Amino acid sequence: MPTAAPRPCSHPGCHVLVRDGTGRCEKHPRPVWTKPKKAATKRITGRRLQRMREELFRQNPLCVRCQELGLVALATQRDHIVSLEEGGEDNPANTQGLCDEHHEEKSLAERLRGRTRGR
């Protein structure tokens, strides 16, 4: 029975001929499949979320980051201190009120961390 025609290893930069049809030489086996990452915590939605936002802004109507900087600005965003994608819980202990500017800044930093984490 004929065997597969020899082909170079499919690993970048390797030119060893492979004759078994797998496409990879012994030095460069295909990466083993890994278990997918844990799914992010499910977000609270609907009326329950509306009640939680109302309670958060009633307790502290000002942006937490602005207060740290000695500024005064209304909080308009309910923010997760530890993002749900990074394993944070969707509960009142993990939330803070932020203004739009600080929320956007924090969200951008989280997105950039997520991109580098995926590499």
Side-chain angles (χ1 to χ4, degrees), residues 19-70:
R19 290 177 168 76
D20 63 2
T22 62
R24 293 288 182 112
C25 68
E26 291 178 11
K27 282 174 67 176
H28 304 108
R30 293 207 181 274
V32 178
W33 180 81
T34 57
K35 189 175 172 182
K37 70 177 186 169
K38 182 182 166 192
T41 305
K42 185 172 179 349
R43 290 184 180 274
I44 295 172
T45 59
R47 292 181 187 218
R48 183 172 171 209
L49 173 63
Q50 291 172 355
R51 282 192 301 271
M52 291 174 81
R53 280 178 51 86
E54 182 181 333
E55 180 64 28
L56 174 68
F57 296 144
R58 188 178 322 120
Q59 288 176 358
N60 187 6
L62 301 178
C63 171
V64 173
R65 293 270 169 95
C66 287
Q67 285 180 313
E68 291 170 0
L69 298 172

Side-chain angles (χ1 to χ4, degrees), residues 90-110:
D90 199 359
N91 60 30
N94 188 38
T95 57
Q96 63 184 353
L98 293 178
C99 64
D100 289 333
E101 182 180 338
H102 283 123
H103 185 262
E104 184 60 35
E105 183 181 298
K106 183 174 180 281
S107 296
L108 176 61
E110 289 169 351

Side-chain angles (χ1 to χ4, degrees), residues 69-97:
L69 298 172
L71 304 171
V72 176
L74 283 177
T76 56
Q77 300 287 329
R78 177 181 177 259
D79 177 68
H80 294 97
I81 298 167
V82 177
S83 73
L84 300 182
E85 187 65 32
E86 294 174 343
E89 297 287 324
D90 199 359
N91 60 30
N94 188 38
T95 57
Q96 63 184 353

